[in-house]
Structures are given as structure tokens and as C-alpha cells.
Amino acid sequence: MPITVKDELPAIVRLRQENVFVMPKSRAQTQEIRPMRLAILNLMPNKVETEVQFIRLLANTPLQVNVDLLRLDTHRTSDSSEQHLDMFYRYFSDVKDQNYDALIITGAPLAHLEYDDVIYWQELQQFFDWAEHHVTSTLFSCWAAHAGLFHHHGLKREIRAEKLSGVFKHRCYFDHGALTRGFDDEFLVPHSRYGHISPEQIAQKNDLVMLAGSPTVGAYLIKNVSGSQVYITGHPEYDADTLLKEYQRDLEKNADAPKPENYFPNDDASQKPSKTWQSHAFLLFSNWLNYYVYQTTPYDINLVSQDVRTNNYAE
């Protein structure tokens, strides 16, 4: 089944070149089914690239998913992207009275800022609280994962002295976890962050479960008991060259910027990196949409709430 987006969204062209099934809304409206309603709150400055990365993963599912792109009322980007936002994004204030089956909140380049110093932090907290009563399951990515864990569970991230950048091995901590169903015992995920949440911090919270991680990256995949909140501290959505682009930007600021670990062949930055994490990325998003959205959300979307769940996968 396809992902449904606005007909003119630029991401459609690139995704179709990859044989990703994306259906324009004009065609989807002719089908008499109850598609999933999913929103993406995109906090990244590179809007189109981020859209492509997440929609690609969402499209690998037998479910039809209608995607709304959201923006905060108080978050302004560069003038060059305002036209794109005006065409394809909806303000939070415009959807406050609506419900969604699923929500993704992306990361943001706010590595060293305290949360209170983020200009849109107050509205983002309101957004977090709104999602608890208007969304069946919310997936928090990277910086948003740390921000969500702080807001909902009081967990304060540590700031690493050096950036964690590279592709790292992870282990699954449950044999039959719904989110990690089909995963290998070890799998690879890219990371690019300074923030750090340790397994010990998660273990202190009875309402949180750490599903995967490693001594190097700390806690990677976390959920609350009901599955209404899923936290991912890495970047399974990344393209093969995303870490390369970030490294090149880092070099422009610091000629001694460290290379991403376990990324370049033979640790040689002149060689083209390979994408070694894609299969588990697809599986993670497919599992999330199946077990914590499709199988738990009510058929009547007006009944969506964290308290209305028809199933419970409490690993």
C-alpha cells in the first residue's frame, strides 16, 4: 500500500525514482478505505531531505498512510524554505482539534542548547502534551527523543565531550519485542549527536522499557509500557551519504573534526560509504506502524487517545 501526500510535494519525484510507492492525494480520495492518519513534525532545517528519508521508511508497509507535514507556529526557518512550508505544511494551531493515528517528531540541530533556551520550547511542550491525547502512538527521533524523555519522564540527557558520529552495532534486549520483531541479535544504526541517555537512567523508570542499545551509544530504542511513546536516539532514516555531508560541514568549522566511526571503507574518507542499516530501519518502522498504530488505534479516529487502545504490546 502507498503513502499518500500532496500531489506537488517535491519528495515524490525522488521517491518514485527509487520505486517507492507514493500515491498523490487526488488518487487516494477515490479509494473507499480507512487509511492511517500520520503527521510529521519536521524540526530539521533540510526539510525536503528529511521528508524523503522518513516517507521512504513509512512507504514499506501494506497499510495506506495519509501524511500531514506539520510546523510549529513559533518556529521560523530561513526565507528560502518558507515557500515550501507554506505550500506543504500545516501549522500546529490548525490541527489542534484533530486526531492522528501516528506522529513522528524529527530531530533538530540543537546539540548544546538547554531546553529552556530553545526559542520554541514552550510550544513544543504543548505539542508533546497535545499528542498524548490526540495521537495513538508518537515516535520521537534523536534530539526529539531526548526532549520527549525529559518532558514526559524527567530524564535529563548528558552532553558528551565529543560528538557521537558513525555507524554502530546495537543489541536487542528482548527476544520477542514487537518493535524489534525480526531483528538480528546485532544490527547497525547511524548516530550523530552529543546528547546521551544511559541504560541506567532508563532502568530507574518503571514506565519505560529499553529495547535496544549498546555500551557505546547508550540507550537507542525505548518505549513506554503502552507503546504510545517510542523513542529512537539514532538515525535509522539516514541516507548513505548523510554522515558524509555532516562530516564535510564539520570540517568547514574545524579542520580536526573527527571522522564518523565505522563508516568509511577502510576508514578512508575518500571512499564512498555504504548503507548498512537499511533493512532494520524498514523493519523498525513497519513494526511500529503495525503493532503500535494499526493494531491499537480505534477505527473511529475521533476516539483516538492514549487511553483508548485495543491492544497492548508491553515487552
Side-chain angles (χ1 to χ4, degrees), residues 46 49 53 235 237-247 249 263 273 277:
N46 50 339
E49 181 178 351
Q53 290 173 348
H235 287 286
E237 79 282 1
Y238 267 11
D239 294 323
D241 63 352
T242 304
L243 285 175
L244 170 61
K245 293 176 181 177
E246 293 183 357
Y247 175 53
R249 287 196 294 268
Y263 178 57
W277 56 89

Side-chain angles (χ1 to χ4, degrees), residues 34 37-40 66-70 90 95 98-103 130-131 134-137 293 297 301 304-305:
R34 157 73 159 90
R37 290 197 69 205
L38 181 145
I40 299 176
N66 289 352
V67 176
D68 280 347
L69 300 173
L70 304 184
R90 306 178 69 182
V95 302
Q98 299 184 27
N99 291 341
Y100 288 90
D101 301 295
L103 168 67
W130 166 84
H134 291 266
V135 179
T136 299
S137 184
V293 182
T297 197
I301 199 167
V304 165
S305 164

